[in-house]
Amino acid sequence: MFRSAKTSKGSAVTPASYETVSVKLTMNDEQTVEIKSLVSEIIINESLFNASIKVDLKIVDGFDLFQKSHLSGGEKINIKIKRKDNNKNSDKNKFDITCYIADIFDHSKPKPGIQFYRLSCLSEHAFISNIKSISRSFNGNANALVRDICVNDLKFTGKTNFADKNLPAISGVYPNLKPLDAITWLLRNSDDEDTPFFFYETLQEGLQFNSYNDLSSGEVYKEYNNTQFFRNEFETKEYFEEASSKIIEMTSDLNMCKFNQIKNGAFSAVVHSVDISNKKYTINNFNHEASNKVKLNKFKGFAKNIKFDDTMLNEGYNSKEFFISTNSKAFESGKLNYHEKIKDSISGKNSCFQNMRFMSLDLELYGDFKLCPGKLINLKIAKSTDENIMESNQREGMIDNLLSGVYIIGSVAHVFDGNEYRCDIGVQKDSLTYDLDSRTKIGK
């Protein structure tokens, strides 16, 4: 489907349609040039684990732009892409991205008179972070401290969506860190009901600071399926809606590795902590079954009956050990230092992080401007079996309950390849829609 394919009323025929309005390069001498005709592919990457969006442009250069523009890195690029959806709401979607060239790579000259190369671009605050270091005292809760770094150090003036949480205040000194590294350092010892925080950037909502507890309790954005056929007529609003919910391709390494999950503390762990001010030593055992209450789906991702050396997975406390040094008298007036809070939550937070990657899938979908990391989606995946082979006692239909369920989006790659707009997304879930401890039924 060509990127300009539209209905007679000017709306996009399919979610794969799009229009590149402009790609403008601001050169070192502050002149601006339109390079849209030289860009053959645009890939915009967002991730729950990245503090900046990343934009890759594939350049087909037959005008010697590389030399004439004095490209060397750091130049500004503005990209505008839009689409008017042919659906019930006739949504007008657009991306208006300003980024800066971080790298120039993958250069080749297949024949005289033309050259190919790629531009890798990041947000401005990523560059600002690299020219600064923070070495000062701090006192406050994590969300206030992160906001302070974004406003005063990174000079960020765009949209933000920060968790409004009544987190405990902590005190300490930033140990000479880059601003984005300082935020990562704060997140290491911050939690929301034993779940981790994420600091990331999305195209639609700007900088995000949210906990897994908040993200997992959000509303499901959309339901997707992998059925093969379309029920509605092409170019209709109903067809557009149906295509928007279709999984084009699904692949995965699954990552269901209990061997690594056990040693990484997904199910049980022990925390050794020493308060150096009064020489108090404590040991706290962590049991996933008793402590971890946050799940995307109803049932946990491991079976209680699996044992090694007659020990259940959630009772093998020495599988992962944490060692924490605290100093309860570091500050007056009962202030907590950087390490004080984490001694009670590190095992639960780590377990949540390990289990949220219990199952991972890579999906290819039709283009969606509103799709971004942190959103929840529901998958209805068809069974890999003949439709006549069903359980005789209970007819469950043709839904694969292992792969189906609610997932959180970890990453999104918006791919504009010159013909179509598609989204390659990585999704993860921490639980299942059925009980692994229930009785199994194989065959009829």
Side-chain angles (χ1 to χ4, degrees), residues 29 41 68 70 72 169-170 196 221 265 268 277 281 295 309 332 395 400 418 434 436:
D29 60 2
E41 182 180 64
K68 290 179 179 178
H70 294 181
S72 61
I170 57 174
Y221 169 67
S268 54
S277 66
Y281 171 68
K295 292 193 294 289
D309 195 21
E332 297 178 355
R395 299 175 65 86
D400 186 326
Y434 65 97
L436 288 174

Side-chain angles (χ1 to χ4, degrees), residues 87-226:
N87 60 10
K88 297 177 182 177
N89 300 320
S90 297
D91 290 340
K92 292 182 179 179
N93 297 292
K94 65 179 181 179
F95 286 151
D96 189 344
I97 308 163
T98 298
C99 53
Y100 295 79
I101 299 175
D103 192 13
I104 305 171
F105 66 103
D106 201 16
H107 180 273
S108 65
K109 282 194 172 185
K111 58 183 179 180
I114 193 169
Q115 58 184 338
F116 298 158
Y117 49 91
R118 289 184 178 271
L119 305 178
S120 178
C121 309
L122 299 173
S123 298
E124 184 178 18
H125 65 268
F127 283 85
I128 293 176
S129 180
N130 273 359
I131 64 174
K132 294 184 177 182
S133 291
I134 301 177
S135 181
R136 62 173 182 263
S137 62
F138 62 83
N139 178 49
N141 57 28
N143 41 358
L145 295 173
V146 170
R147 186 181 299 277
D148 174 68
I149 293 174
C150 290
V151 173
N152 295 314
D153 296 293
L154 297 177
K155 308 299 181 184
F156 188 81
T157 58
K159 291 191 293 185
T160 60
N161 179 23
F162 284 13
D164 185 17
K165 289 287 183 179
N166 186 24
L167 302 174
I170 57 174
S171 300
V173 177
Y174 295 120
N176 197 33
L177 297 171
K178 302 296 184 185
L180 289 180
D181 292 336
I183 292 175
T184 301
W185 184 74
L186 287 171
L187 298 190
R188 283 171 48 191
N189 282 16
S190 301
D191 71 281
D192 177 17
E193 297 186 16
D194 292 357
T195 68
F197 276 93
F198 299 96
F199 180 77
Y200 55 101
E201 185 183 20
T202 67
L203 286 169
Q204 296 290 4
E205 299 177 0
L207 287 181
Q208 308 285 299
F209 178 70
N210 289 302
S211 69
Y212 188 70
N213 184 42
D214 278 344
L215 294 175
S216 63
S217 61
E219 294 183 2
V220 172
Y221 169 67
K222 189 177 288 187
E223 182 176 276
Y224 295 90
N225 65 78
N226 66 336

Side-chain angles (χ1 to χ4, degrees), residues 301-318:
F302 67 97
K304 181 182 291 187
N305 292 330
I306 294 179
K307 298 181 180 180
F308 297 97
D309 195 21
D310 204 30
T311 302
M312 292 189 297
L313 297 184
N314 60 333
E315 293 182 351
Y317 302 116
N318 290 326

Side-chain angles (χ1 to χ4, degrees), residues 282-350:
T282 58
I283 299 176
N284 291 317
N285 291 328
F286 168 78
N287 183 313
H288 175 280
E289 189 76 9
S291 304
N292 199 318
K293 306 300 181 183
V294 177
K295 292 193 294 289
L296 296 176
N297 300 282
K298 186 176 181 180
F299 299 102
K300 63 184 184 297
F302 67 97
K304 181 182 291 187
N305 292 330
I306 294 179
K307 298 181 180 180
F308 297 97
D309 195 21
D310 204 30
T311 302
M312 292 189 297
L313 297 184
N314 60 333
E315 293 182 351
Y317 302 116
N318 290 326
S319 59
K320 179 69 174 180
E321 296 183 276
F322 296 96
F323 299 89
I324 306 294
S325 295
T326 66
N327 185 355
S328 60
K329 297 181 180 180
F331 301 98
E332 297 178 355
S333 305
K335 291 181 180 179
L336 299 178
N337 74 353
Y338 173 75
H339 300 283
E340 191 69 33
K341 177 66 175 69
I342 201 67
K343 68 181 177 64
D344 298 319
S345 60
I346 188 172
S347 49
K349 176 182 171 182
N350 173 71

